[in-house]
Structures are given as structure tokens and as C-alpha cells.
Coordinates of all heavy atoms in Angstrom, one line a residue:
M1 N -5.9 -28.7 -41.0 CA -4.6 -28.2 -41.1 C -4.6 -26.8 -40.6 O -5.3 -26.0 -41.1 CB -4.0 -28.4 -42.4 CG -2.7 -27.7 -42.7 SD -1.9 -27.9 -44.3 CE -3.3 -27.6 -45.4
L2 N -3.6 -26.4 -39.7 CA -3.5 -25.1 -39.3 C -2.4 -24.5 -40.2 O -1.3 -25.1 -40.3 CB -3.0 -25.0 -37.8 CG -2.6 -23.7 -37.3 CD1 -3.8 -22.7 -37.2 CD2 -2.0 -23.8 -35.9
N3 N -2.6 -23.3 -40.8 CA -1.7 -22.7 -41.7 C -1.5 -21.3 -41.5 O -2.5 -20.6 -40.9 CB -2.1 -23.0 -43.2 CG -3.4 -22.4 -43.5 OD1 -3.5 -21.3 -43.8 ND2 -4.4 -23.3 -43.7
S4 N -0.4 -20.8 -41.9 CA -0.1 -19.3 -41.7 C 0.6 -18.8 -43.0 O 1.3 -19.5 -43.5 CB 0.8 -19.2 -40.5 OG 1.3 -17.9 -40.5
V5 N 0.3 -17.6 -43.3 CA 0.9 -17.0 -44.5 C 1.1 -15.5 -44.2 O 0.3 -14.9 -43.5 CB 0.1 -17.2 -45.8 CG1 -1.3 -16.5 -45.7 CG2 0.8 -16.9 -47.1
D6 N 2.2 -14.9 -44.8 CA 2.5 -13.5 -44.7 C 1.9 -12.9 -46.0 O 2.3 -13.3 -47.2 CB 4.0 -13.3 -44.6 CG 4.5 -13.7 -43.3 OD1 3.8 -13.7 -42.3 OD2 5.7 -14.1 -43.3
D7 N 1.0 -12.0 -45.8 CA 0.3 -11.3 -46.9 C 0.8 -9.9 -47.0 O 0.8 -9.1 -46.0 CB -1.2 -11.3 -46.6 CG -2.0 -10.8 -47.8 OD1 -1.4 -10.7 -48.9 OD2 -3.1 -10.4 -47.7
Y8 N 1.3 -9.5 -48.1 CA 1.9 -8.2 -48.5 C 0.8 -7.4 -49.2 O 0.2 -7.8 -50.2 CB 3.1 -8.2 -49.3 CG 4.2 -9.0 -48.6 CD1 4.5 -10.2 -48.8 CD2 5.0 -8.2 -47.7 CE1 5.5 -10.8 -48.1 CE2 6.1 -8.8 -47.1 CZ 6.3 -10.1 -47.3 OH 7.4 -10.8 -46.7
I9 N 0.3 -6.3 -48.5 CA -0.7 -5.5 -49.1 C -0.3 -4.1 -49.6 O 0.5 -3.5 -48.8 CB -1.9 -5.3 -48.1 CG1 -2.4 -6.7 -47.7 CG2 -3.0 -4.4 -48.6 CD1 -3.3 -6.6 -46.5
Y10 N -0.4 -3.8 -50.8 CA -0.1 -2.6 -51.4 C -1.2 -1.7 -51.7 O -2.2 -2.2 -52.5 CB 0.8 -2.8 -52.6 CG 2.1 -3.5 -52.2 CD1 2.2 -4.9 -52.4 CD2 3.2 -2.8 -51.7 CE1 3.4 -5.5 -52.1 CE2 4.3 -3.5 -51.4 CZ 4.4 -4.8 -51.6 OH 5.6 -5.4 -51.3
D11 N -1.3 -0.6 -51.3 CA -2.4 0.3 -51.6 C -2.0 1.3 -52.7 O -1.0 1.9 -52.6 CB -2.8 1.2 -50.3 CG -3.4 0.3 -49.3 OD1 -4.0 -0.8 -49.5 OD2 -3.2 0.6 -48.0
S12 N -2.8 1.4 -53.6 CA -2.5 2.4 -54.8 C -3.8 3.0 -55.2 O -4.8 2.4 -55.1 CB -1.8 1.7 -55.9 OG -2.7 0.7 -56.5
Y13 N -3.7 4.2 -55.8 CA -4.9 4.9 -56.2 C -4.5 5.8 -57.3 O -3.4 6.1 -57.6 CB -5.5 5.8 -55.1 CG -4.7 6.9 -54.5 CD1 -4.8 8.1 -55.1 CD2 -3.8 6.7 -53.5 CE1 -4.0 9.1 -54.6 CE2 -3.0 7.6 -53.0 CZ -3.1 8.9 -53.6 OH -2.4 9.9 -53.1
Y14 N -5.5 6.1 -58.1 CA -5.4 6.9 -59.4 C -5.9 8.3 -59.1 O -7.1 8.5 -58.5 CB -6.1 6.2 -60.5 CG -6.1 7.0 -61.8 CD1 -5.0 7.2 -62.5 CD2 -7.3 7.7 -62.2 CE1 -4.9 8.0 -63.6 CE2 -7.3 8.5 -63.4 CZ -6.1 8.6 -64.1 OH -6.1 9.3 -65.2
D15 N -5.1 9.4 -59.4 CA -5.5 10.7 -59.3 C -5.9 11.3 -60.6 O -5.0 11.5 -61.4 CB -4.3 11.5 -58.6 CG -4.7 12.9 -58.2 OD1 -6.0 13.1 -58.0 OD2 -3.9 13.8 -58.1
E16 N -7.1 11.5 -60.8 CA -7.6 11.9 -62.1 C -7.1 13.3 -62.6 O -6.7 13.6 -63.7 CB -9.1 12.0 -62.2 CG -9.8 10.6 -62.2 CD -11.1 10.6 -62.4 OE1 -11.7 11.6 -63.0 OE2 -11.8 9.6 -62.0
P17 N -7.1 14.4 -61.6 CA -6.5 15.7 -62.1 C -5.1 15.6 -62.6 O -4.8 16.3 -63.6 CB -6.7 16.6 -60.9 CG -7.7 15.9 -60.1 CD -7.6 14.4 -60.3
T18 N -4.2 14.8 -62.0 CA -2.9 14.8 -62.4 C -2.6 13.7 -63.3 O -1.4 13.5 -63.8 CB -1.9 14.7 -61.2 OG1 -2.2 13.5 -60.5 CG2 -2.0 15.9 -60.2
D19 N -3.5 12.8 -63.7 CA -3.4 11.6 -64.5 C -2.2 10.8 -64.0 O -1.3 10.3 -64.8 CB -3.3 12.0 -65.9 CG -3.3 10.9 -66.9 OD1 -4.0 9.9 -66.5 OD2 -2.8 10.9 -67.9
S20 N -2.2 10.5 -62.7 CA -1.1 9.8 -62.1 C -1.5 8.6 -61.2 O -2.6 8.8 -60.5 CB -0.1 10.7 -61.3 OG 0.4 11.7 -62.1
Y21 N -0.7 7.7 -61.0 CA -1.0 6.6 -60.1 C 0.0 6.7 -58.9 O 1.1 7.1 -59.0 CB -0.7 5.2 -60.7 CG -1.8 4.8 -61.6 CD1 -1.7 5.0 -63.0 CD2 -2.9 4.1 -61.1 CE1 -2.6 4.5 -63.9 CE2 -4.0 3.7 -62.0 CZ -3.8 4.0 -63.4 OH -4.8 3.6 -64.2
Y22 N -0.6 6.7 -57.7 CA 0.2 6.8 -56.5 C 0.1 5.4 -55.7 O -0.9 4.8 -55.7 CB -0.2 7.9 -55.6 CG -0.1 9.3 -56.2 CD1 -1.1 9.9 -56.9 CD2 1.2 9.9 -56.2 CE1 -1.0 11.2 -57.5 CE2 1.3 11.1 -56.7 CZ 0.2 11.7 -57.4 OH 0.5 12.9 -58.0
S23 N 1.1 5.1 -55.1 CA 1.1 3.8 -54.4 C 1.8 4.1 -52.9 O 2.8 4.8 -52.8 CB 1.8 2.7 -55.1 OG 3.0 2.2 -54.4
N24 N 1.1 3.5 -51.9 CA 1.6 3.6 -50.6 C 2.5 2.4 -50.4 O 2.4 1.4 -51.0 CB 0.5 3.6 -49.5 CG -0.4 4.9 -49.7 OD1 0.1 5.9 -50.1 ND2 -1.7 4.7 -49.3
S25 N 3.4 2.5 -49.3 CA 4.2 1.3 -49.0 C 3.4 0.2 -48.5 O 2.5 0.5 -47.8 CB 5.4 1.8 -48.0 OG 4.7 2.2 -46.8
G26 N 3.8 -1.0 -48.9 CA 3.1 -2.2 -48.5 C 3.4 -2.5 -47.0 O 4.4 -2.1 -46.4
Y27 N 2.6 -3.2 -46.5 CA 2.8 -3.8 -45.1 C 2.5 -5.3 -45.1 O 1.9 -5.8 -45.9 CB 2.1 -3.0 -44.0 CG 0.5 -3.2 -44.2 CD1 -0.2 -4.1 -43.6 CD2 -0.2 -2.3 -45.0 CE1 -1.6 -4.2 -43.7 CE2 -1.6 -2.4 -45.1 CZ -2.2 -3.4 -44.6 OH -3.6 -3.5 -44.7
Q28 N 3.1 -5.9 -44.1 CA 2.9 -7.4 -44.0 C 1.9 -7.7 -42.9 O 1.9 -7.1 -41.8 CB 4.2 -7.9 -43.6 CG 4.3 -9.4 -43.5 CD 5.6 -10.0 -43.1 OE1 6.5 -9.2 -43.0 NE2 5.8 -11.2 -43.0
E29 N 1.0 -8.6 -43.2 CA -0.1 -9.0 -42.3 C 0.1 -10.6 -42.3 O 0.0 -11.3 -43.3 CB -1.4 -8.7 -42.8 CG -2.6 -9.1 -41.9 CD -3.9 -8.8 -42.5 OE1 -4.0 -8.2 -43.6 OE2 -4.9 -9.1 -41.8
N30 N 0.2 -11.1 -41.0 CA 0.3 -12.5 -40.8 C -1.2 -13.1 -40.6 O -1.9 -12.7 -39.8 CB 1.1 -12.8 -39.7 CG 1.4 -14.3 -39.5 OD1 1.0 -15.1 -40.3 ND2 2.1 -14.7 -38.4
V31 N -1.6 -13.9 -41.6 CA -2.9 -14.5 -41.6 C -2.9 -16.0 -41.2 O -2.1 -16.7 -41.8 CB -3.6 -14.4 -43.0 CG1 -4.9 -15.0 -43.0 CG2 -3.6 -13.0 -43.4
V32 N -3.5 -16.3 -40.1 CA -3.6 -17.7 -39.6 C -5.0 -18.2 -39.8 O -6.0 -17.5 -39.5 CB -3.2 -17.7 -38.1 CG1 -3.3 -19.2 -37.6 CG2 -1.8 -17.2 -37.9
D33 N -5.2 -19.5 -40.3 CA -6.4 -20.0 -40.6 C -6.4 -21.5 -40.5 O -5.3 -22.2 -40.5 CB -7.0 -19.5 -42.1 CG -8.4 -19.7 -42.2 OD1 -9.1 -20.2 -41.3 OD2 -8.8 -19.3 -43.2
F34 N -7.6 -22.2 -40.4 CA -7.7 -23.6 -40.5 C -8.2 -24.0 -41.8 O -9.0 -23.3 -42.5 CB -8.7 -24.1 -39.4 CG -8.1 -24.1 -38.0 CD1 -8.5 -23.1 -37.2 CD2 -7.2 -25.1 -37.5 CE1 -7.9 -23.0 -35.9 CE2 -6.8 -25.0 -36.3 CZ -7.1 -24.0 -35.5
A35 N -7.6 -25.2 -42.4 CA -8.1 -25.6 -43.7 C -8.6 -27.1 -43.5 O -8.1 -27.8 -42.7 CB -6.9 -25.6 -44.7
L36 N -9.6 -27.4 -44.3 CA -10.2 -28.8 -44.3 C -9.9 -29.3 -45.7 O -10.2 -28.7 -46.7 CB -11.6 -28.7 -43.9 CG -12.3 -30.1 -43.8 CD1 -11.8 -30.9 -42.6 CD2 -13.8 -29.9 -43.6
G37 N -9.4 -30.6 -45.8 CA -9.3 -31.1 -47.2 C -9.0 -32.6 -47.1 O -9.3 -33.3 -46.2
I38 N -8.3 -33.0 -48.2 CA -7.9 -34.5 -48.3 C -6.4 -34.6 -48.6 O -5.8 -33.7 -49.0 CB -8.7 -35.1 -49.4 CG1 -8.4 -34.5 -50.8 CG2 -10.2 -35.1 -49.2 CD1 -9.0 -35.2 -52.0
G39 N -5.9 -35.7 -48.3 CA -4.5 -36.1 -48.4 C -4.3 -37.6 -48.6 O -5.1 -38.4 -48.4
S40 N -3.1 -37.9 -49.1 CA -2.8 -39.3 -49.4 C -1.3 -39.4 -49.2 O -0.5 -38.5 -49.4 CB -3.2 -39.7 -50.8 OG -3.0 -41.0 -51.0
G41 N -0.8 -40.6 -49.1 CA 0.6 -40.8 -49.0 C 1.0 -42.3 -49.2 O 0.1 -43.2 -49.2
V42 N 2.3 -42.6 -49.1 CA 2.7 -44.0 -49.3 C 4.0 -44.2 -48.4 O 4.7 -43.2 -48.2 CB 3.0 -44.3 -50.8 CG1 4.1 -43.5 -51.3 CG2 3.4 -45.8 -51.0
K43 N 4.1 -45.3 -47.8 CA 5.3 -45.6 -47.0 C 5.9 -46.8 -47.6 O 5.3 -47.9 -47.9 CB 5.0 -45.9 -45.6 CG 6.2 -46.2 -44.7 CD 5.7 -46.8 -43.3 CE 5.4 -45.5 -42.5 NZ 5.2 -46.0 -41.1
L44 N 7.2 -46.7 -47.9 CA 8.1 -47.7 -48.6 C 9.1 -48.2 -47.5 O 9.9 -47.5 -46.9 CB 8.8 -47.3 -49.8 CG 7.8 -46.6 -50.9 CD1 8.7 -46.0 -52.0 CD2 6.9 -47.7 -51.4
L45 N 9.2 -49.6 -47.3 CA 10.1 -50.1 -46.4 C 11.0 -51.2 -47.1 O 10.5 -52.0 -47.8 CB 9.4 -50.9 -45.3 CG 10.2 -51.7 -44.3 CD1 11.2 -50.7 -43.4 CD2 9.4 -52.3 -43.3
T46 N 12.4 -51.0 -47.1 CA 13.3 -51.9 -47.8 C 13.6 -53.0 -46.8 O 13.4 -53.0 -45.6 CB 14.6 -51.2 -48.2 OG1 15.3 -50.8 -47.0 CG2 14.2 -50.0 -49.1
K47 N 14.3 -54.1 -47.3 CA 14.6 -55.3 -46.6 C 15.8 -54.9 -45.6 O 15.8 -55.6 -44.6 CB 15.1 -56.4 -47.5 CG 13.9 -57.0 -48.3 CD 14.3 -58.2 -49.1 CE 13.2 -58.7 -49.9 NZ 13.6 -59.8 -50.8
R48 N 16.4 -53.8 -45.9 CA 17.6 -53.4 -45.0 C 17.1 -52.5 -43.9 O 17.9 -52.0 -43.1 CB 18.7 -52.7 -45.9 CG 19.3 -53.8 -46.8 CD 20.5 -53.2 -47.5 NE 21.1 -54.1 -48.3 CZ 22.4 -54.0 -48.5 NH1 23.2 -53.1 -48.0 NH2 23.0 -55.0 -49.3
G49 N 15.8 -52.1 -43.9 CA 15.3 -51.3 -42.9 C 15.1 -49.8 -43.2 O 14.8 -49.0 -42.3
F50 N 15.4 -49.4 -44.3 CA 15.3 -48.0 -44.7 C 13.8 -47.6 -45.0 O 13.1 -48.5 -45.6 CB 16.1 -47.6 -45.9 CG 17.6 -47.7 -45.6 CD1 18.4 -48.6 -46.0 CD2 18.2 -46.5 -44.9 CE1 19.7 -48.7 -45.8 CE2 19.5 -46.6 -44.6 CZ 20.3 -47.7 -45.0
I51 N 13.3 -46.5 -44.6 CA 12.0 -46.1 -44.8 C 11.9 -44.8 -45.5 O 12.7 -43.9 -45.3 CB 11.2 -45.9 -43.5 CG1 11.3 -47.2 -42.6 CG2 9.8 -45.4 -43.6 CD1 10.9 -47.0 -41.2
V52 N 10.9 -44.8 -46.5 CA 10.7 -43.6 -47.2 C 9.2 -43.3 -47.2 O 8.4 -44.2 -47.5 CB 11.2 -43.6 -48.7 CG1 10.8 -42.3 -49.4 CG2 12.7 -43.9 -48.8
E53 N 8.8 -42.1 -46.8 CA 7.4 -41.8 -46.7 C 7.1 -40.5 -47.6 O 7.9 -39.6 -47.5 CB 6.9 -41.5 -45.3 CG 6.9 -42.6 -44.4 CD 6.5 -42.2 -43.0 OE1 6.1 -41.0 -42.8 OE2 6.5 -43.1 -42.0
I54 N 6.2 -40.6 -48.5 CA 5.8 -39.5 -49.3 C 4.4 -39.2 -49.2 O 3.5 -40.1 -49.2 CB 6.2 -39.8 -50.8 CG1 7.6 -40.2 -51.0 CG2 5.7 -38.6 -51.7 CD1 8.0 -40.7 -52.4
D55 N 4.0 -37.9 -48.9 CA 2.6 -37.6 -48.7 C 2.4 -36.3 -49.4 O 3.2 -35.4 -49.5 CB 2.3 -37.6 -47.3 CG 3.0 -36.5 -46.4 OD1 4.2 -36.7 -46.2 OD2 2.4 -35.4 -46.1
A56 N 1.1 -36.0 -49.7 CA 0.6 -34.8 -50.4 C -0.9 -34.6 -50.0 O -1.5 -35.5 -49.7 CB 0.8 -34.8 -51.8
G57 N -1.3 -33.3 -49.9 CA -2.7 -33.0 -49.6 C -2.9 -31.6 -50.1 O -2.2 -30.8 -50.4
I58 N -4.3 -31.4 -50.2 CA -4.9 -30.1 -50.6 C -6.1 -29.8 -49.8 O -6.8 -30.7 -49.3 CB -5.3 -30.1 -52.1 CG1 -5.4 -28.6 -52.6 CG2 -6.3 -31.1 -52.4 CD1 -5.5 -28.5 -54.0
G59 N -6.3 -28.5 -49.4 CA -7.4 -28.1 -48.5 C -7.8 -26.7 -48.9 O -7.2 -26.0 -49.6
R60 N -8.9 -26.3 -48.3 CA -9.5 -25.0 -48.4 C -9.7 -24.4 -47.1 O -10.1 -25.0 -46.1 CB -10.8 -25.1 -49.1 CG -11.5 -23.8 -49.5 CD -12.6 -23.9 -50.4 NE -12.9 -22.6 -50.9 CZ -14.0 -21.9 -50.4 NH1 -14.8 -22.4 -49.4 NH2 -14.4 -20.8 -51.0
N61 N -9.2 -23.0 -47.0 CA -9.3 -22.4 -45.7 C -10.8 -22.1 -45.4 O -11.6 -22.0 -46.2 CB -8.7 -20.9 -45.9 CG -7.2 -21.0 -45.7 OD1 -6.6 -22.0 -45.1 ND2 -6.5 -20.0 -46.2
L62 N -11.0 -22.3 -44.0 CA -12.4 -22.2 -43.6 C -13.0 -20.9 -43.2 O -14.1 -20.5 -43.4 CB -12.6 -23.1 -42.4 CG -12.2 -24.7 -42.5 CD1 -12.3 -25.3 -41.3 CD2 -13.3 -25.2 -43.6
F63 N -12.1 -19.9 -42.7 CA -12.7 -18.7 -42.2 C -12.4 -17.5 -42.9 O -13.2 -16.6 -43.1 CB -12.1 -18.6 -40.7 CG -12.6 -19.7 -39.9 CD1 -11.5 -20.6 -39.4 CD2 -13.8 -20.0 -39.5 CE1 -11.9 -21.8 -38.7 CE2 -14.2 -21.1 -38.8 CZ -13.2 -21.9 -38.3
K64 N -11.2 -17.3 -43.4 CA -10.7 -16.0 -44.0 C -10.7 -16.2 -45.6 O -9.7 -16.2 -46.2 CB -9.4 -15.5 -43.5 CG -9.5 -15.2 -42.0 CD -8.2 -14.8 -41.5 CE -8.3 -14.5 -39.9 NZ -7.1 -14.2 -39.4
N65 N -11.9 -16.3 -46.2 CA -11.9 -16.5 -47.6 C -11.9 -15.3 -48.5 O -12.1 -15.4 -49.7 CB -13.2 -17.4 -47.9 CG -13.1 -18.7 -47.3 OD1 -12.1 -19.4 -47.2 ND2 -14.3 -19.4 -47.0
D66 N -11.7 -14.2 -47.9 CA -11.7 -13.0 -48.7 C -10.3 -12.7 -49.2 O -10.1 -11.8 -50.0 CB -12.1 -11.7 -47.8 CG -11.2 -11.6 -46.6 OD1 -10.5 -12.5 -46.2 OD2 -11.3 -10.5 -46.1
R67 N -9.4 -13.6 -49.0 CA -8.0 -13.4 -49.5 C -7.8 -14.2 -50.8 O -8.7 -15.0 -51.1 CB -7.0 -13.9 -48.5 CG -7.1 -13.2 -47.2 CD -6.5 -11.8 -47.2 NE -6.6 -11.3 -45.9 CZ -6.4 -10.1 -45.7 NH1 -6.1 -9.2 -46.6 NH2 -6.5 -9.5 -44.5
S68 N -6.7 -14.1 -51.5 CA -6.5 -14.8 -52.7 C -6.0 -16.2 -52.5 O -5.8 -17.0 -53.5 CB -5.5 -14.0 -53.6 OG -4.3 -13.8 -53.0
F69 N -5.5 -16.5 -51.3 CA -5.0 -17.8 -51.0 C -6.0 -18.7 -50.2 O -5.7 -19.1 -49.1 CB -3.7 -17.7 -50.2 CG -3.7 -16.6 -49.1 CD1 -4.2 -17.0 -47.9 CD2 -3.2 -15.4 -49.4 CE1 -4.2 -16.1 -46.9 CE2 -3.3 -14.4 -48.4 CZ -3.7 -14.8 -47.1
T70 N -7.1 -19.0 -50.8 CA -8.1 -19.9 -50.2 C -7.7 -21.4 -50.3 O -8.1 -22.2 -49.5 CB -9.5 -19.6 -50.7 OG1 -9.4 -19.9 -52.1 CG2 -9.9 -18.2 -50.5
I71 N -7.0 -21.8 -51.3 CA -6.6 -23.2 -51.5 C -5.2 -23.3 -51.0 O -4.2 -22.6 -51.4 CB -6.7 -23.6 -53.0 CG1 -8.0 -23.4 -53.6 CG2 -6.2 -25.1 -53.2 CD1 -9.1 -24.2 -53.0
I72 N -5.0 -24.3 -50.1 CA -3.7 -24.5 -49.5 C -3.3 -26.0 -49.7 O -4.0 -26.9 -49.7 CB -3.8 -24.3 -47.9 CG1 -4.4 -22.9 -47.6 CG2 -2.5 -24.7 -47.2 CD1 -3.4 -21.9 -47.9
G73 N -2.0 -26.2 -50.1 CA -1.4 -27.5 -50.4 C -0.4 -27.7 -49.3 O 0.3 -26.9 -48.7
K74 N -0.1 -29.1 -49.1 CA 1.0 -29.6 -48.3 C 1.6 -30.8 -48.9 O 1.0 -31.5 -49.7 CB 0.4 -29.9 -46.9 CG -0.3 -31.1 -46.7 CD -0.6 -31.4 -45.3 CE -1.1 -32.8 -45.1 NZ 0.0 -33.7 -44.7
G75 N 2.8 -31.0 -48.5 CA 3.5 -32.2 -49.0 C 4.7 -32.5 -48.2 O 5.2 -31.7 -47.4
G76 N 5.2 -33.7 -48.3 CA 6.4 -34.0 -47.5 C 7.1 -35.4 -47.9 O 6.4 -36.2 -48.5
I77 N 8.3 -35.4 -47.6 CA 9.1 -36.6 -47.8 C 9.9 -36.8 -46.5 O 10.6 -36.0 -46.0 CB 10.1 -36.4 -48.9 CG1 9.4 -36.3 -50.2 CG2 11.0 -37.7 -49.1 CD1 10.3 -35.9 -51.4
N78 N 9.7 -38.0 -45.9 CA 10.4 -38.4 -44.7 C 11.3 -39.5 -45.0 O 10.9 -40.6 -45.7 CB 9.4 -38.8 -43.6 CG 8.5 -37.7 -43.3 OD1 8.9 -36.6 -43.1 ND2 7.2 -38.0 -43.1
L79 N 12.5 -39.6 -44.5 CA 13.5 -40.6 -44.6 C 13.8 -41.2 -43.2 O 13.9 -40.3 -42.3 CB 14.7 -40.1 -45.3 CG 14.5 -39.5 -46.7 CD1 15.9 -39.0 -47.1 CD2 14.0 -40.4 -47.6
G80 N 14.0 -42.4 -43.1 CA 14.3 -43.0 -41.8 C 14.9 -44.4 -41.9 O 15.1 -45.0 -43.0
Y81 N 15.2 -44.9 -40.7 CA 15.8 -46.2 -40.6 C 15.1 -46.9 -39.5 O 15.1 -46.4 -38.4 CB 17.3 -46.1 -40.4 CG 18.0 -47.5 -40.3 CD1 18.2 -48.2 -41.4 CD2 18.4 -48.0 -39.1 CE1 18.9 -49.5 -41.3 CE2 19.0 -49.2 -39.0 CZ 19.3 -49.9 -40.1 OH 19.8 -51.1 -40.1
R82 N 14.7 -48.1 -39.8 CA 14.1 -48.9 -38.8 C 15.1 -49.9 -38.2 O 15.7 -50.7 -39.0 CB 12.9 -49.7 -39.4 CG 12.1 -50.6 -38.5 CD 10.9 -51.2 -39.3 NE 10.7 -52.5 -38.9 CZ 9.8 -53.3 -39.4 NH1 9.0 -52.8 -40.4 NH2 9.6 -54.5 -38.9
F83 N 15.2 -49.9 -36.9 CA 16.1 -50.9 -36.3 C 15.5 -51.6 -35.2 O 14.4 -51.4 -34.7 CB 17.4 -50.2 -35.8 CG 17.1 -48.9 -34.9 CD1 17.2 -49.1 -33.5 CD2 16.9 -47.7 -35.5 CE1 16.9 -48.0 -32.8 CE2 16.7 -46.6 -34.7 CZ 16.7 -46.7 -33.4

């Protein structure tokens, strides 16, 4: 799975002589990575032709594992009509 997330990074530091914490303004970094994992789903078909698909999966990022979001999930519900 190809995934993308916006990461907000805030830099802060402690100044010992003044006994104060300082923080710089955060910035946004767009991180794109590939994940490998497993998934499962089900497709339901009624006699009148309506279709419902439900799927879910979980994976782990392959390349940028130094971030806090190494586990990625996905899910979906699809509705349709078969004619």
C-alpha cells in the first residue's frame, strides 16, 4: 500500500539559566512510504442486485521507520448495484 501522512514537527528546548522552555513554530512535512501487510474483506449480494463490500487491513511502513506512525491501517465500505 502506498500511503502519505502530514507530520507536524515542533521543536522545543529547555534553557537552564532562565529555567524556561522555548518552542519554535511547527512545520508540516509530507511523508510518503510503502507498507506491507495483510487485509481481509467480504462481499454481500442480495437477490435484488444490491452489493455491499466491507474490507479492512493493517500494514507496516517499509522505509521510514524513524517516525511514530510505522503501523498503517486501511478500511472501506463500498455500495453498489448489479444490473
Side-chain angles (χ1 to χ4, degrees):
M1 168 176 50
L2 175 66
N3 62 76
S4 171
V5 66
D6 292 332
D7 189 16
Y8 296 94
I9 299 173
Y10 296 98
D11 295 329
S12 62
Y13 63 93
Y14 175 71
D15 188 23
E16 289 185 25
T18 61
D19 192 30
S20 300
Y21 285 96
Y22 295 98
S23 116
N24 297 331
S25 61
Y27 62 92
Q28 180 178 0
E29 179 184 4
N30 190 359
V31 178
V32 179
D33 201 352
F34 286 100
L36 185 64
I38 60 172
S40 181
V42 63
K43 180 188 281 189
L44 306 171
L45 175 64
T46 66
K47 292 182 181 181
R48 294 186 178 211
F50 291 103
I51 300 170
V52 176
E53 295 179 5
I54 302 171
D55 64 283
I58 190 167
R60 184 166 191 260
N61 280 337
L62 296 175
F63 302 112
K64 298 181 181 176
N65 292 331
D66 59 341
R67 306 283 184 192
S68 62
F69 44 83
T70 57
I71 303 295
I72 302 295
K74 75 173 196 98
I77 298 175
N78 299 317
L79 304 174
Y81 180 74
R82 181 175 146 180
F83 50 94

